[in-house]
Amino acid sequence: MPAMRLDKLLTQLGCGSRKEVGALIRSGRVTVDGAPVRDPACKTDPETAVVVVDGRPQRYQAQRYFMLNKPAGVITASRDGRHQTVLELFPASQRRGLFAVGRLDKDTEGLLIVTDDGALSHALMSPARHVDKVYEAVVEGALVPDAADRFAAGLTLRDGTVCLPAVLERLPDRAEQTVRVTLREGKYHQVKRMIAAVGGTVVHLRRVWLGGLALDPSLAPGAFRALTDAELALLQGQERDGKKEF
Ligand code: URA
């Protein structure tokens, strides 16, 4: 791979917009092969150079993988005439080729993987793979006493759709009535419809886990970061190992 400008490389690695990484480099927080570099235009070989930002080594990957904490009010799409999209949370210089893995409703928050790796996305979202997705839902209304058993048995939704077995747990330490729901599939509005089928209404929904990966608690809604090597390995393990049963 040919050498590229250091600011372009850091942008591709998810370290910020071109302007932000330019400032980062000029302030002396970036080293290349052990030496501080203050010139954003410095030619750098992405595959061989050891680039360190604030003491953290950055590794170039031909494909890009990000964890986004999706905020409410933003739609899971690349482009939309009316609403802000999850891709618009990324600097324009970084967006090319990226897409979200699966989708969350406009009012749902939490963990969304954004990548340009179509094969990984397909593997994680394929209904046949049964990759775990965990949600925390604030619920209003009284759930039927056997709600968890009905989830475990494979719930039938109000329109007759039959769901795969799922796990429903109450989180008694929370101020509001909150449940944790673990699914192995991703039907339209699935958590909201499952909770409705057992007597409740979801008033707030957040995904906290996907395919072995937990939402990073340090990511504020709207913030994203590149996946670490270990996190990527976890997702790639799901790609290979899917299809486990509860
Ligand atoms: N289930 C829902 O109801 N909404 C989401 O966004 C995700 C899962």
Side-chain angles (χ1 to χ4, degrees):
M1 158 159 276
M4 62 166 80
R5 288 176 59 112
L6 182 57
D7 56 357
K8 186 173 179 192
L9 173 60
L10 288 181
T11 300
Q12 286 190 6
L13 291 170
C15 297
S17 65
R18 197 76 167 248
K19 196 168 155 202
E20 287 163 347
V21 302
L24 204 67
I25 296 165
R26 277 189 289 273
S27 65
R29 289 159 60 189
V30 179
T31 62
V32 176
D33 295 331
V37 172
R38 289 174 183 268
D39 176 9
C42 172
K43 290 287 185 200
T44 312
D45 183 331
E47 283 173 348
T48 59
V50 179
V51 179
V52 176
V53 178
D54 289 336
R56 285 193 307 275
Q58 309 292 314
R59 202 166 71 78
Y60 179 78
Q61 285 160 333
Q63 284 174 304
R64 293 169 293 154
Y65 305 89
F66 299 99
M67 172 188 293
L68 168 71
N69 185 359
K70 178 192 172 296
V74 171
I75 62 167
T76 311
S78 304
R79 214 175 297 156
D80 184 89
R82 290 187 305 140
H83 304 285
Q84 187 184 20
T85 69
V86 288
L87 278 196
E88 286 162 0
L89 297 167
F90 288 74
S93 58
Q94 258 179 281
R95 272 177 223 159
R96 196 148 53 99
L98 291 180
F99 53 86
V101 176
R103 65 182 295 283
L104 294 174
D105 296 338
K106 186 176 170 199
D107 58 357
T108 302
E109 298 180 1
L111 175 55
L112 197 64
I113 302 299
V114 176
T115 182
D116 56 1
D117 183 344
L120 181 74
S121 168
H122 176 74
L124 291 175
M125 287 303 116
S126 160
R129 298 273 179 169
H130 300 178
V131 169
D132 278 11
K133 301 160 193 78
V134 182
Y135 298 86
E136 287 182 3
V138 177
V139 173
E140 282 179 0
L143 302 188
V144 296
D146 64 345
D149 294 337
R150 289 178 56 190
F151 269 55
L155 191 70
T156 302
L157 301 178
R158 287 176 172 166
D159 66 358
T161 305
V162 179
C163 300
L164 289 174
V167 179
L168 175 73
E169 298 158 279
R170 291 173 195 261
L171 301 177
D173 52 328
R174 305 292 173 91
E176 297 157 295
Q177 176 178 225
T178 307
V179 294
R180 181 182 293 136
V181 176
T182 305
L183 303 181
R184 288 240 157 129
E185 56 183 343
K187 298 186 196 301
Y188 181 65
H189 292 336
Q190 185 162 355
V191 175
K192 292 172 187 164
R193 292 196 293 154
M194 289 179 85
I195 294 293
V198 294
T201 303
V202 172
V203 294
H204 182 252
L205 186 61
R206 195 162 77 105
R207 183 156 68 191
V208 295
W209 177 277
L210 170 74
L213 218 71
L215 176 64
D216 181 339
S218 74
L219 283 180
F224 65 89
R225 66 162 172 77
L227 292 188
T228 64
D229 288 353
E231 288 169 336
L232 180 58
L234 273 173
L235 284 187
Q236 287 168 336
Q238 293 284 334
E239 185 183 6
R240 284 190 304 274
D241 303 342
K243 280 194 161 173
K244 285 174 289 187
E245 299 303 326
F246 279 127

